[in-house]
Amino acid sequence: MDILENSINAKATLVYIEIIEDKCKNILKIVIKDNGVGIKKEDIDKVKDPFVTSRKTRKVGLGISLFEAACLRCDGKLNIYSIEGEGTEVEAIMKYNHIDRAPLGKIEDTIISALLYQNIDIVYKHIVDGNEFHFDSREVKKIAGEDLTIPEVLQWIRQYIKEGIQEIGGGVF
């Protein structure tokens, strides 16, 4: 959720979340890409430093640095690509079956939390050994209207995502 909050704070209106669980290759890959304000080229290397943050409310930014530490602990890596004014992509790769890999948690709740921000859309793609699940808040808005914060709509979205992840055998708990 920290990385998703970074996108929201970067004024993103569209965030792509892709999770790939490849058990045969023993890889868990998480990609979060947004259309926010992006990061200045000279600041790209600094964003992994916990004592560098763009926030005005505190002097540390632990989200990226903790995410990178989790990747490294699980024999993986964290890459950040960004173009100022166009957006940012965070790519995390780790060993799927590494004993230190934390569970993904309830992805449906993370997406619901993001959708409470009215000016953001989420495209979520989850692949488990070739089986795919897709969610696109823009498609839901075509049916339910622009306001996805209505409790019944949020509950439907939560259940839809939860069932979709279960159908493809995902979730990495």
Side-chain angles (χ1 to χ4, degrees):
M1 184 63 193
D2 281 348
I3 308 306
L4 192 52
E5 283 181 7
N6 288 348
S7 294
I8 293 166
N9 290 332
K11 300 180 180 20
T13 57
L14 181 60
V15 179
Y16 293 91
I17 302 169
E18 182 177 84
I19 298 174
I20 300 172
E21 298 179 50
D22 190 330
K23 296 171 189 170
C24 292
K25 293 181 180 176
N26 196 20
I27 293 174
L28 173 64
K29 181 177 176 182
I30 302 168
V31 177
I32 301 169
K33 182 177 178 181
D34 69 47
N35 66 348
V37 297
I39 303 168
K40 292 179 184 174
K41 188 176 181 178
E42 61 268 21
D43 291 338
I44 288 282
D45 292 333
K46 298 176 187 173
V47 298
K48 293 180 181 177
D49 183 338
F51 299 104
V52 174
T53 182
S54 60
R55 291 184 178 199
K56 307 292 182 219
T57 56
R58 61 181 186 216
K59 295 183 179 191
V60 294
L62 295 175
I64 292 284
S65 59
L66 287 176
F67 201 22
E68 181 180 43
C71 292
L72 294 173
R73 191 173 49 247
C74 297
D75 298 330
K77 61 184 177 181
L78 183 82
N79 298 310
I80 300 174
Y81 312 97
S82 187
I83 298 175
E84 189 175 7
E86 294 185 20
T88 301
E89 178 178 326
V90 176
E91 176 190 65
I93 300 170
M94 45 189 106
K95 235 181 205 179
Y96 184 85
N97 69 355
H98 199 285
I99 193 166
D100 291 329
R101 186 181 52 73
L104 284 174
K106 294 184 176 183
I107 298 164
E108 62 273 16
D109 289 342
T110 299
I111 292 173
I112 291 296
S113 296
L115 290 174
L116 292 174
Y117 294 88
Q118 294 214 356
N119 296 324
I120 194 158
D121 279 305
I122 305 289
V123 176
Y124 169 61
K125 180 175 166 183
H126 196 137
I127 303 170
V128 180
D129 295 328
N131 298 314
E132 294 186 24
F133 170 72
H134 293 265
F135 169 79
D136 188 332
S137 65
R138 298 171 299 182
E139 295 298 319
V140 176
K141 285 180 177 177
K142 288 179 186 174
I143 299 167
E146 285 295 313
D147 185 6
L148 297 183
T149 64
I150 298 168
E152 293 81 9
V153 174
L154 288 174
Q155 185 58 33
W156 181 87
I157 292 170
R158 175 181 283 119
Q159 194 62 32
Y160 177 75
I161 293 170
K162 184 177 179 179
E163 289 174 7
I165 294 170
Q166 287 174 345
E167 282 181 24
I168 62 170
V172 194
F173 295 104

